[in-house]
Amino acid sequence: MSASRNGYDDGSQYRYDDGSSYEPYYPPYDAWGDGSVAPGAVPGSTEDHGPRPPRRRRLGFAVGALVALALVPLAADRFVAVRIESRTAKAFQEGMRTPLPPEVHVRGFPVLTQAASGTLRRVDITAHDIPADGSDRPLPVTELSLRLDGLTKSDDDSEARAKSAEATARLSYPDLSDSLGLEVSQGDRPGRVSAVVPLPFGDQVTVTTSVTAATGNSIVFRDFKVTGGALPDVGSRLLDKVLAQPIRLRNIPSGLKLRSLTSTADGLTAGFSGSSVTFRAEGTSQDGASRSGTTSGKA
């Protein structure tokens, strides 16, 4: 038994030369190399209490978990958007009787809140080959691009209405030629088209005429001029008969008004705009001649 300097045994095994006792000091053991003490480690112990993941790896796990949580509402929102786009495309195809569904894009985020409110801030639709049956001079629409703002639907899903809308329609020269019964192409300057007028005995004359937007979504022809050959009286009477009557676009959604008309290398480009533009699954356009398109915001 060892004794301290005062004659008492304090149980310590560490003593100075003069017999006094002391306890050695050990610095904390940094088991993981990041300045921390391993759980369960006794200060001053050199015992390794197992490996610990590096701090960078732990941070990566946390970031990954946060990203995964953030993607859940994004995926749900995109699911609703795709569903609305699919239903809108199907309804538009049925209403406008296009051979293929149009391209539909619901703009803005989040779509979930828009659908819950009953109003979609913006919907873009691009449709192709819209027929124009039911008229004496049908003119199909080769392509129709619509921008619909503030789109709402009726409670029974039979009607959708846009607070405002803009549209661009492309009318091809082959379709315009079929409608007029004359071979039509681009004119000598913007706003004009050329037409080949057939004459008796296989002759023909080329004329140019201006194309202008008129009320009732109509295309009118004015100021025709002969540019090739001589136009006899029979040709003049034919032109008067063909060009005197406007062509009315009867396959445009109700509420859109024809604002501009220009000629391009491929055909005519018509610009439309309007407010309170209506789309119906089973109905008529503003002129009562054919069905109008349908868009539905139903999720």
Side-chain angles (χ1 to χ4, degrees):
M1 179 179 296
S2 59
S4 63
R5 297 178 60 184
N6 57 13
Y8 293 96
D9 183 8
D10 57 10
S12 175
Q13 59 178 333
Y14 301 100
R15 296 184 180 280
Y16 294 105
D17 293 339
D18 61 356
S20 62
S21 64
Y22 70 93
E23 291 295 334
Y25 170 76
Y26 298 101
Y29 177 62
D30 185 4
W32 297 305
D34 59 1
S36 62
V37 178
V42 178
S45 171
T46 59
E47 181 182 357
D48 188 350
H49 286 260
R52 182 181 183 183
R55 176 176 295 179
R56 182 176 299 176
R57 184 182 301 174
R58 298 198 308 273
L59 182 60
F61 289 158
V63 171
L66 291 175
V67 170
L69 291 174
L71 288 178
V72 171
L74 288 175
D77 195 78
R78 186 55 194 153
F79 173 80
V80 172
V82 170
R83 189 177 182 186
I84 293 175
E85 290 167 354
S86 176
R87 292 192 174 192
T88 300
K90 181 179 179 181
F92 192 98
Q93 181 184 16
E94 292 175 352
M96 301 295 282
R97 292 173 292 167
T98 58
L100 296 174
E103 302 169 12
V104 180
H105 298 285
V106 179
R107 306 298 185 183
F109 179 85
V111 177
L112 274 168
T113 57
Q114 297 181 55
S117 70
T119 301
L120 299 176
R121 290 198 296 268
R122 175 180 167 184
V123 178
D124 294 339
I125 300 177
T126 301
H128 298 84
D129 301 323
I130 301 176
D133 299 333
S135 61
D136 55 348
R137 303 176 82 184
L139 179 57
V141 174
T142 305
E143 180 179 285
L144 179 66
S145 297
L146 289 158
R147 170 177 171 164
L148 311 174
D149 294 311
L151 185 66
T152 59
K153 64 182 181 63
S154 60
D155 293 337
D156 59 1
D157 292 337
S158 64
E159 179 179 292
R161 179 169 297 179
K163 183 178 180 180
S164 62
E166 295 181 356
T168 300
R170 187 166 61 86
L171 313 168
S172 72
Y173 286 131
D175 288 336
L176 185 59
S177 299
D178 291 341
S179 180
L180 290 175
L182 301 174
E183 184 181 345
V184 180
S185 60
Q186 187 177 21
D188 53 352
R189 61 181 185 269
R192 297 184 68 85
V193 296
S194 294
V196 177
V197 182
L199 300 175
F201 309 110
D203 294 331
Q204 62 184 27
V205 173
T206 301
V207 300
T208 64
T209 178
S210 64
V211 287
T212 309
T215 58
N217 288 352
S218 297
I219 300 173
V220 296
F221 304 89
R222 296 191 177 101
D223 186 29
F224 68 84
K225 297 178 180 180
V226 178
T227 59
L231 185 63
D233 291 340
V234 62
S236 296
R237 289 194 296 269
L238 176 61
L239 278 181
D240 289 340
K241 179 180 179 180
V242 172
L243 300 180
Q245 297 297 323
I247 296 180
R248 197 169 187 181
L249 299 175
R250 302 177 182 272
N251 45 3
I252 301 299
S254 175
L256 284 174
K257 305 299 182 182
L258 181 61
R259 308 295 185 184
S260 63
L261 196 64
T262 59
S263 59
T264 67
D266 299 323
L268 302 181
T269 298
F272 298 83
S273 63
S275 58
S276 191
V277 178
T278 305
F279 302 80
R280 300 182 183 90
E282 297 292 338
T284 59
S285 63
Q286 67 269 26
D287 57 16
S290 63
R291 298 179 183 178
S292 67
T294 297
T295 59
S296 172
K298 185 175 180 181

